[in-house]
Amino acid sequence: MSAQQPSGYQKSLPEITPLTKPFWDATKRHELVIQRCAKCEGHQWYPRAICTLCGSRDLKWSKASGKGSIYSFVVIRQVIDNSPAFQSDIPFVLAEVELEEGPRMYAPMVGCKPEDVRIGMKVEVLFEDATDTVAIPKFKLVP
Amino acid sequence: MIILVRKKAAIVGYGETPFSRARADKGEATLSAEQYYAWATELVLENTGLEKSDFDGEGLAVGGSEWPHSEIWSAEVAQNLGISPKLLIRSDHGGMSGVALLIQAVLAVHSGLVEKVLCVAADSPMSLQGPASRPWRYMIDFCRPFGMMGPNSMIAFILQRYLYQYGIKPEHTGKIAVTQRQHASMNPNAYLKTPMKMEDYLNSRMIVDPIRLLDCCILVNGGLAFVVASQKEAKKITDNPVHVLGIGEAHNYLHGSRTRPDVTVTGIKPAAKEAFKMARVRTKDVCFIEPYDDYTIIVLQQLEDLGFCKKGEVGKFVDKTDLSTKGKLPVNTGGGQLSAGQAGMAGGFLHVIEAVRQLRGEGGQRQVPDADVGVVSGMGGLGYAVNLVNNGIVVFGK
């Protein structure tokens, strides 16, 4: 991917809140964590204040395997106004990954060409350091 | 239990301003959302023969807007228009706002609380002065930083998955784009009227594979309005009312599983089932449909979810079905948002107004012959790893 220096990172960054901070802290350790309900044991992504399956607020952060398969994907060929810094990445594949734990997550693919990607392919997470507080999870194809 | 609102309320008139893509940042003359609200209101009053004061002590229903607006917005619109309603409704249902406000207006009239409701929405997304309204938090936190490029990329995931499960051809989405442009060419108020061939569609550039430019709606500035009235009141206002026969809504409908839903099925499926039952109408009775159309694929999915064909068979269905105003199942008879234009958050009003035009016999060159039953859908808010979140159906009859 890009060789941008963390201090010069130009792309959109999340607005980190107390709810989402454990997720972003984990990305800096290059770990993918998602919420797991202490009551019904269901997993969910993106982070929320309640378990969307059973309604419990007793949610714990759980380390995901980082493995999954592609449920769907798109090839970004044009940036929009609020995301000009992605211009240098174009074209790039954005995947909807079905994590082994169940939930689906949007994330960019790296190390592959758009024409190499198919639905159902196995993928694995890796991280790109963006700033001192944020690393972006991305996925690569695994044989 | 089905609440019977069948023939309890009617639409008695409408207003639609010209659409514009003028841009303030290019020095072009533009109107604000507030000005379009005023213009649409003036037009609907002319169309119904009502006075603004006729809505004092009645209902006012207000759509949202991308144009910067206050949190307490419907009260601002009431003040700006100089109307003092007894009931004030605000929608934040995105593309479903027209159908959502219509349904709430019908329920309000049916309850007896009010006799009539002025439903109005306007937006000026091409002429934003200042920041637009804030998107959903997860867009900011878990979409934009990951490279998501707005709704065009979110719908592309749904089309890609549909292609994987059912294998339609580009000509199938293309038929929606081409047919609706043909309809727009007969609509004086459509923004894009130049006829389009299938070749033009297929050659239009990929924006986010598999979404082409001509799969997308065209954003415009504009204002739209209609008036809902009780049967008693409707008779006083017009001799050509359009009756609401059935309504249905489904929000955050997830087909199969909450964690891993099948995104090829929309909430239109349960909403339509309820609305058709209430209306005592079957698909074979439907003379035309005005399905919500932010993108071509969503129209195809709705043909299935409305029950015109089975899931996965829409390719075969559109191959053999004439979707033009002269055909068996006319689709988006005025060009829809794909060609007539999407007036930002007011976009979903277009489908309601076109259905009313058709059922009143005011379709001009694009009039569907002998139309007496029409179906409108509204859909809003492309969600995270799901389809459109807000879904609504209204069945209209004469």
Side-chain angles (χ1 to χ4, degrees), chain B residues 57 104 111 125 201 282 311 392:
Chain B
Q104 291 176 48
S111 77
Y201 168 83
R282 296 184 182 178
K311 183 55 60 181

Side-chain angles (χ1 to χ4, degrees), chain A residues 12 15 17 24 45-47 52 71-75 77-78 80 82 86 94 96 98 102 104 106 108 119, chain B residues 134 138 141-142 144-149 156-157 160-161 164 205 207-209 258 260-261 263 384-385:
Chain A
S12 297
E15 297 171 358
T17 65
W24 293 110
W45 175 255
Y46 54 97
T52 57
Y71 177 77
S72 189
F73 69 96
V74 304
V75 184
R77 297 197 182 272
Q78 180 176 322
I80 57 176
N82 57 32
F86 283 92
L94 193 58
E96 182 176 352
E98 197 160 279
R104 296 178 187 144
Y106 293 124
I119 286 175
Chain B
R134 225 177 119 83
Y138 64 68
D141 290 342
F142 299 110
R144 272 185 203 162
F146 292 72
M148 189 70 79
M149 298 293 156
F157 281 99
Q160 186 82 283
R161 185 68 196 186
Y164 172 78
R205 73 174 191 278
I207 296 177
V208 186
D209 306 33
R258 188 168 289 283
R260 281 170 289 182
V263 301
Y384 190 100

Side-chain angles (χ1 to χ4, degrees), chain B residues 13-15 39-52:
Chain B
Y14 54 86
W39 194 356
T41 300
E42 182 182 65
L43 291 172
V44 79
L45 292 175
E46 278 173 20
N47 187 262
T48 53
L50 293 168
E51 302 285 332
K52 193 163 63 63

Side-chain angles (χ1 to χ4, degrees), chain A residues 23-143:
Chain A
F23 170 79
W24 293 110
D25 287 349
T27 65
K28 289 307 294 181
R29 304 190 300 271
H30 289 197
E31 282 179 11
L32 184 68
V33 299
I34 60 173
Q35 287 178 315
R36 182 170 176 271
C37 176
K39 191 175 165 200
C40 77
E41 302 186 344
H43 289 87
Q44 67 185 11
W45 175 255
Y46 54 97
R48 277 170 261 204
I50 198 166
C51 171
T52 57
L53 297 172
C54 78
S56 169
R57 290 191 297 132
D58 192 1
L59 295 160
K60 310 291 186 203
W61 288 98
S62 168
K63 189 175 173 186
S65 71
K67 292 176 182 163
S69 62
I70 294 177
Y71 177 77
S72 189
F73 69 96
V74 304
V75 184
I76 306 283
R77 297 197 182 272
Q78 180 176 322
V79 298
I80 57 176
D81 288 352
N82 57 32
S83 301
F86 283 92
Q87 186 66 46
S88 57
D89 296 345
I90 281 176
F92 67 95
V93 175
L94 193 58
E96 182 176 352
V97 174
E98 197 160 279
L99 300 173
E100 277 188 341
E101 292 78 11
R104 296 178 187 144
M105 171 184 250
Y106 293 124
M109 296 292 300
V110 292
C112 60
K113 292 179 188 150
E115 54 270 29
D116 297 338
V117 179
R118 297 282 182 278
I119 286 175
M121 283 180 161
K122 302 290 179 198
V123 296
E124 191 170 48
V125 76
L126 53 92
F127 292 85
E128 184 197 12
D129 288 309
T131 67
D132 292 344
T133 50
V134 168
I136 303 292
K138 301 187 174 188
F139 285 84
K140 63 179 181 185
L141 296 174
V142 291

Side-chain angles (χ1 to χ4, degrees), chain B residues 14 16 19 176-196 290 322-327 330-336 339-341 350 354 357-358 361-369:
Chain B
Y14 54 86
E16 183 179 284
F19 295 147
I176 298 299
V178 170
T179 305
Q180 290 195 198
R181 181 64 62 85
Q182 183 197 336
H183 295 164
S185 73
M186 298 181 280
N187 175 1
N189 205 35
Y191 189 82
L192 296 174
K193 289 199 263 292
T194 313
M196 183 206 298
E290 309 289 344
D322 183 350
L323 305 175
S324 80
T325 51
K326 293 180 175 59
V331 170
N332 279 326
T333 52
S339 283
L350 187 78
E354 177 64 13
R357 255 194 219 106
Q358 288 289 342
E362 297 168 357
Q365 277 187 288
R366 64 185 192 279
Q367 179 64 46
V368 175

Side-chain angles (χ1 to χ4, degrees), chain B residues 4-20:
Chain B
L4 280 176
V5 299
R6 190 173 184 279
K7 286 206 168 186
K8 300 292 184 189
I11 293 190
V12 294
Y14 54 86
E16 183 179 284
T17 73
F19 295 147
S20 162

Side-chain angles (χ1 to χ4, degrees), chain B residues 180-394:
Chain B
Q180 290 195 198
R181 181 64 62 85
Q182 183 197 336
H183 295 164
S185 73
M186 298 181 280
N187 175 1
N189 205 35
Y191 189 82
L192 296 174
K193 289 199 263 292
T194 313
M196 183 206 298
K197 295 195 179 89
M198 183 62 78
E199 200 181 309
D200 301 323
Y201 168 83
L202 294 172
N203 290 336
S204 71
R205 73 174 191 278
M206 281 287 181
I207 296 177
V208 186
D209 306 33
I211 291 289
R212 293 171 164 81
L213 178 68
L214 292 177
D215 286 312
C216 307
C217 62
I218 176 96
L219 208 55
V220 295
N221 299 338
L224 305 101
F226 54 84
V227 172
V228 175
S230 67
Q231 288 297 354
K232 189 178 133 205
E233 191 75 7
K235 285 193 186 100
K236 292 185 212 160
I237 298 168
T238 178
D239 54 6
N240 198 3
V242 171
H243 301 291
V244 173
L245 304 183
I247 56 175
E249 291 192 44
H251 303 276
N252 200 21
Y253 172 78
L254 302 169
H255 191 76
S257 147
R258 188 168 289 283
T259 308
R260 281 170 289 182
D262 179 351
V263 301
T264 66
V265 183
T266 71
I268 290 301
K269 190 182 168 77
K273 193 178 169 189
E274 192 161 306
F276 279 53
K277 189 175 174 189
M278 195 183 298
R280 296 177 214 148
V281 158
R282 296 184 182 178
T283 50
K284 67 177 172 56
D285 304 319
V286 176
C287 306
F288 65 90
I289 61 172
E290 309 289 344
Y292 188 75
D293 61 329
D294 48 355
Y295 298 95
T296 54
I297 178 60
I298 209 70
V299 175
L300 294 181
Q301 290 184 329
Q302 289 179 85
L303 287 169
E304 296 172 338
D305 295 342
L306 285 163
F308 290 101
C309 61
K310 287 184 184 160
K311 183 55 60 181
E313 294 185 359
V314 76
K316 272 187 261 174
F317 179 79
V318 300
D319 276 341
K320 67 176 188 200
T321 309
D322 183 350
L323 305 175
S324 80
T325 51
K326 293 180 175 59
K328 189 166 178 240
L329 183 63
V331 170
N332 279 326
T333 52
Q337 297 183 122
L338 296 176
S339 283
Q342 179 185 54
M345 289 292 153
F349 271 60
L350 187 78
H351 307 82
V352 174
I353 290 173
E354 177 64 13
V356 173
R357 255 194 219 106
Q358 288 289 342
L359 290 168
R360 288 171 68 135
E362 297 168 357
Q365 277 187 288
R366 64 185 192 279
Q367 179 64 46
V368 175
D370 306 319
D372 59 2
V373 174
V375 173
V376 173
S377 76
M379 302 174 83
L382 270 165
Y384 190 100
V386 298
N387 209 306
L388 284 140
V389 178
N390 298 317
N391 300 270
I393 291 283
V394 175

